[in-house]
Amino acid sequence: MSEIRLMKGNEATAEASIRAGCDAYFGYPITPQSEIIEYLSDQGRKRGMIVMQVESEVAAINMIYGAAGAGARAMTTSSSPGISLMQEGISYIACAELPCLLMNVNRGGPGLGTIQPSQGDYFQSVKGGGHGDYHLIVLAPASVQEMADFVYLGFDLADKYRNPVLLLTDGALGQMMEKVIFPDYDPKAHKLPKPWATVGKNSNRPPNVITSLHLHSDEMEKINLRLQEKYRKIEANEVRYELMNTEGADVVMIAYGLTARICQRVIELGMQSGLNVGLMRPITLYPYPYEILAKLSEQVNGFFVVEMNAGQMVEDVRLGVNGKVPVGFYGRMGGVIPTAEEILHSLQLFMKSIAVKEKV
Amino acid sequence: MSEIQVPTNGMEVVWEKPKTLTDTRMHYCPGCGHGVVHKVLMEVIADLGIQDKTIGVAPVGCSVISYNYMNIDMQEAAHGRATAVATGIKRVLPDKLVFTYQGDGDLAAIGTAETIHACNRGENFLIIFINNAIYGMTGGQMAPTSLLGMVTSTTPEGRQVETQGFPIKITEMVATLPGTYYITRQSVHNPTAVRYLKKAVEKAFKHQLDKKGTCLIEVVSNCPSGWKMNPVEANKWLEQNMFPMYSPGDIKIEGKLVEKKPTTTPDKKETKL
């Protein structure tokens, strides 16, 4: 039965993971996401989940490898420095094609950085992070509700494509409290059979082996080609985004997660000062919604990208726009959350620079 | 790789390869201990009738593709992470039998944290630890267990305490942890030693079936290629040089440390290799 609760984003993710039938959680505390392991240590254990606080993020991600390889729905969560530690394991998981759910509650970096929210891990999340040619499916929630909803979606996509899925969120979404609805979800109806899992060999089949090692280059290339074929399928089927006020807009802002929430306010403020701006919010950061950008490029005078970093997603926007119209950027770093007013100011300068007149 | 055909000419079959070993020809160097340990491990799994519920974890090192030889479900772990991977498997499949198979670099250098914490949690699986005091796969570099004075490709003048520290006795270290139940050091340098090893492996799997906690079997082994010796010389060198540092025998039985004479403590005495 569906249920309405008032919760922090981190808690909503934890609660959703229990409802999504996550069998095992392995993690290591790090601010600003420790509520997840705390919530699961209580609620998860009481409701039958294996929940372990382990010696490091390195150990945690390799336990995910083992558990996912044994057929379980497995999840770990961390924040930026911890996610960096996991990159080796994530690369192995991607190559061995193990379905699992990861979440990065992004904080400011580089280094130990700050515990304040950031979007500085975009490149790490969508362009690799670990070694080799691989992709995670990356979902970017923009509300506490989506921090819950994307847990179900994430596990389902992971199982469907045998691919690790990353929820990329930030410290503000993890810590903020909002209303969240938990829908009916029957894990049994969603979990797919995993005949490849290592659960003990029976006499009717050859041994199942989970590995990312293929010493001969022709064999390894076959694995690479299979992965790439899967990524093309994901790119064709799983692009998700949200459009707001793009119909007839002069300029469309592009922002994901927390900054997309702030940009909704910028649309309102813009209207008050006679600006006609819209918003395209990517929900999947990989696969990236390039196509809608190409389409919008035919209709608008420019795009304006807002991020809490030095300009990372803006590179993907430029790829999608392909030089057809100007692309502006506004970013804050170091854990600073930009205000709607400062974004509007920067947007106005951009619009002036590309000669879009305010309609007063 | 092709199956090895042996003409039997009506001879009586006195020993057969267990069905837990595949027909793939092993890639190990002549005289290497890995093949023997694989055989012993798989014989025990066949004898105990647990092939269908055993999951192995291969390391990074010479035995990285041991899953090609072991006819059971297996996972290949990142370097040093075998006990973390095994933890993931065992926690979600508590009624299955799990073992890791790791070398000295994997278990006692890059994987030290995972090894110690798996043992400290008392993870109910078996760790097989092959100690040949050298990195075989990468071409004979120093291992954390390399002896003082031992010449390797990264200690061309012999391992020195001042720069490389002491050889690590990780088996004795984990024996001090309450999570471990059965800790023993065995070898495969002669037929008697092989029979002792088999008994130890049997015992460890039985403990796992009884959910007793972590069992670790160190196998003092050789590396003729890395040591630059022929197999006979290597086994002789093993007895003369490895055993004084890594003395064979049980270290912990049924959760209790075995009282015995202290083994040689590392000093600056040089070992010539």
Side-chain angles (χ1 to χ4, degrees), chain A residues 242-263:
Chain A
E242 185 185 18
L243 297 177
M244 291 179 77
N245 202 44
T246 52
E247 201 75 22
D250 290 319
V251 166
V252 167
M253 293 181 286
I254 320 279
Y256 71 91
L258 186 68
T259 44
R261 291 284 288 273
I262 302 166
C263 286

Side-chain angles (χ1 to χ4, degrees), chain A residues 55 65 199 205 208 210, chain B residues 52 73-74 76 96 121:
Chain A
E55 64 269 29
Y65 181 102
V199 293
R205 63 159 172 85
N208 283 341
I210 305 289
Chain B
D52 59 342
D73 280 3
M74 286 192 77
E76 203 289 301
K96 301 291 166 82
R121 288 190 301 267

Side-chain angles (χ1 to χ4, degrees), chain A residues 141-214:
Chain A
S143 63
V144 172
Q145 182 65 54
E146 285 187 345
M147 280 186 70
D149 291 347
F150 290 179
V151 171
Y152 312 102
L153 175 64
F155 272 123
D156 289 349
L157 289 174
D159 281 354
K160 182 176 173 188
Y161 293 101
R162 277 192 66 179
N163 205 71
V165 173
L166 174 74
L167 306 193
L168 180 61
T169 179
D170 66 69
L173 284 166
Q175 295 295 327
M176 71 162 74
M177 289 184 89
E178 286 185 314
K179 182 184 83 174
V180 53
I181 301 167
F182 294 101
D184 285 334
Y185 179 93
D186 178 12
K188 283 194 203 92
H190 286 259
K191 285 186 179 179
L192 299 175
K194 295 173 178 174
W196 44 264
T198 57
V199 293
K201 171 194 146 38
N202 65 45
S203 49
N204 303 323
R205 63 159 172 85
N208 283 341
V209 175
I210 305 289
T211 185
S212 65
L213 176 75
H214 308 279

Side-chain angles (χ1 to χ4, degrees), chain B:
Chain B
M1 286 187 211
S2 62
E3 192 176 342
I4 304 162
Q5 299 291 334
V6 183
T8 52
N9 298 335
M11 286 186 282
E12 190 191 349
V13 176
V14 293
W15 184 84
E16 270 185 315
K17 185 168 66 68
K19 61 184 170 106
T20 43
L21 277 170
T22 66
D23 293 332
T24 309
R25 190 157 22 160
M26 291 185 188
H27 71 285
Y28 300 116
C29 305
C32 171
H34 274 309
V36 182
V37 183
H38 285 19
K39 189 196 81 166
V40 167
L41 183 57
M42 289 301 118
E43 277 179 356
V44 172
I45 288 171
D47 292 351
L48 295 176
I50 52 172
Q51 182 186 20
D52 59 342
K53 51 180 186 173
T54 301
I55 299 136
V57 181
V60 171
C62 288
S63 52
V64 65
I65 51 171
S66 52
Y67 50 76
N68 285 345
Y69 316 130
M70 300 182 185
N71 190 18
I72 53 167
D73 280 3
M74 286 192 77
Q75 295 196 19
E76 203 289 301
H79 198 25
R81 319 298 174 217
T83 54
V85 170
T87 299
I89 300 169
K90 187 73 185 189
R91 291 288 175 146
V92 300
L93 301 173
D95 296 325
K96 301 291 166 82
L97 292 144
V98 176
F99 69 87
T100 70
Y101 188 102
Q102 302 172 259
D104 40 41
D106 193 271
L107 181 139
I110 196 166
T112 310
E114 286 79 5
T115 304
I116 286 179
H117 285 279
C119 289
N120 193 47
R121 288 190 301 267
E123 294 294 341
N124 190 34
F125 53 64
L126 166 64
I127 301 167
I128 305 263
F129 166 35
I130 310 295
N131 177 10
N132 59 7
I134 205 157
Y135 283 61
M137 188 173 75
T138 45
Q141 295 84 13
M142 184 191 73
T145 51
S146 293
L147 303 174
L148 292 181
M150 189 169 160
V151 172
T152 71
S153 64
T154 49
T155 55
E157 293 175 358
R159 180 177 186 165
Q160 305 294 325
V161 170
E162 292 75 15
T163 43
Q164 286 99 11
F166 294 94
I168 194 165
K169 291 185 170 186
I170 199 159
T171 304
E172 276 83 354
M173 285 167 66
V174 298
T176 65
L177 302 171
T180 53
Y181 188 74
Y182 173 52
I183 306 282
T184 187
R185 182 180 284 121
Q186 301 293 334
S187 69
V188 285
H189 68 298
N190 64 37
T192 311
V194 173
R195 280 195 286 271
Y196 275 120
L197 174 66
K198 190 170 175 183
K199 287 262 177 278
V201 175
E202 268 170 15
K203 201 190 257 191
F205 272 114
K206 283 177 184 160
H207 289 326
Q208 188 174 166
L209 284 164
D210 294 337
K211 301 188 192 296
K212 293 290 190 186
T214 313
C215 296
L216 184 146
I217 301 173
E218 175 178 336
V219 184
V220 178
S221 193
N222 57 18
C223 182
S225 299
W227 293 356
K228 304 192 183 354
M229 294 175 193
N230 69 40
V232 175
E233 285 167 358
N235 283 342
K236 211 172 280 171
W237 191 89
L238 179 153
E239 272 190 59
Q240 288 166 357
N241 297 281
M242 294 285 280
F243 283 170
M245 176 64 65
Y246 306 110
S247 70
D250 291 335
I251 296 165
K252 192 176 195 179
I253 303 171
E254 296 183 356
K256 287 195 184 84
L257 287 169
V258 175
E259 299 250 350
K260 63 175 181 179
K261 278 183 266 171
T263 54
T264 310
T265 45
D267 55 27
K268 293 186 184 178
K269 181 179 141 273
E270 296 206 343
T271 308
K272 290 290 170 228
L273 176 61

Side-chain angles (χ1 to χ4, degrees), chain A residues 14 88 90-91 96 108 115-116 118 120 134 166 179-180 206 212 221 223 233 273 294 336 339 342:
Chain A
E88 178 204 39
I90 292 173
S91 170
I115 58 171
Q116 301 302 325
S118 164
Y134 74 90
L166 174 74
K179 182 184 83 174
V180 53
S212 65
E221 194 183 39
I223 301 290
K233 224 176 266 174
S273 31
V336 178
T339 64
E342 69 183 273

